[in-house]
Each structure stands twice: as C-alpha cells, then as structure tokens.
Amino acid sequence: FNNHKPKKMSNTSKLSLDISKELKRLRSESGLSQEKLSYKTKVDRKYLHILEKGQTNVSTEILNKLCLGLNISMAEFFNNINF
C-alpha cells in the first residue's frame, strides 16, 4: 500500500527556464531594453517580460522573431542551452 503523495509537477520545465535565462542574457548583452526589443520584433513588451521570468513557454514562431531582433539564428540561441 503506497501512502506517498505524488510530487507536484512544476509548471515550467528546466528547459523553459534555461530558454528564459538565455533570452534575457542575450537581450541584455545586445544592449536592448525589453521595450526596444519589443518594438523591433512586434512582440508585446509584457509578454516578453513574462517570457524572461519563465512564467510561460515560448512558441518557436515568437522565439524566431526574438532571435531575428537580436540578430542571431535560432541555432545560435540554443548554443548555450543544455538539453
């Protein structure tokens, strides 16, 4: 008989958090504010903020727009992320 409660699953996976951190790092290194990257990519600034906080998952379409705004490829974006 098993009396153990199941572990709560995190809403955000480690990969999603790593993507969020990388997005923020690359944006900061490029010297862009969230507002400037938002304007450049037509991605809502509030949405960009919650992406960088790891509060939601990013679609490949939005990530591609952000990469274009950062002048990098998606392959370059994933260079520093461990799977």
Side-chain angles (χ1 to χ4, degrees), residues 35-68:
E35 189 172 330
K36 286 181 182 175
L37 182 58
S38 172
Y39 179 79
K40 190 173 181 182
T41 60
K42 308 293 187 250
V43 173
D44 184 78
R45 192 206 58 80
K46 290 178 184 176
Y47 183 65
L48 181 55
H49 174 76
I50 64 169
L51 284 175
E52 287 189 0
K53 298 283 274 183
Q55 296 174 341
T56 191
N57 293 323
V58 64
S59 70
T60 53
E61 183 179 337
I62 296 294
L63 184 57
N64 188 54
K65 283 183 178 184
L66 295 169
C67 286
L68 290 172

Side-chain angles (χ1 to χ4, degrees), residues 4-22:
H4 296 287
K5 292 182 181 178
K7 290 184 178 179
K8 275 190 172 181
M9 292 297 291
S10 170
N11 287 338
T12 309
S13 70
K14 181 185 180 315
L15 178 58
S16 293
L17 289 173
D18 289 347
I19 289 170
S20 297
K21 289 176 187 175
E22 185 67 358

Side-chain angles (χ1 to χ4, degrees), residues 69-83:
L70 294 167
N71 299 315
I72 61 170
S73 69
M74 285 183 65
E76 290 171 303
F77 179 89
F78 285 103
N79 277 343
N80 294 319
I81 295 179
N82 296 317
F83 294 93

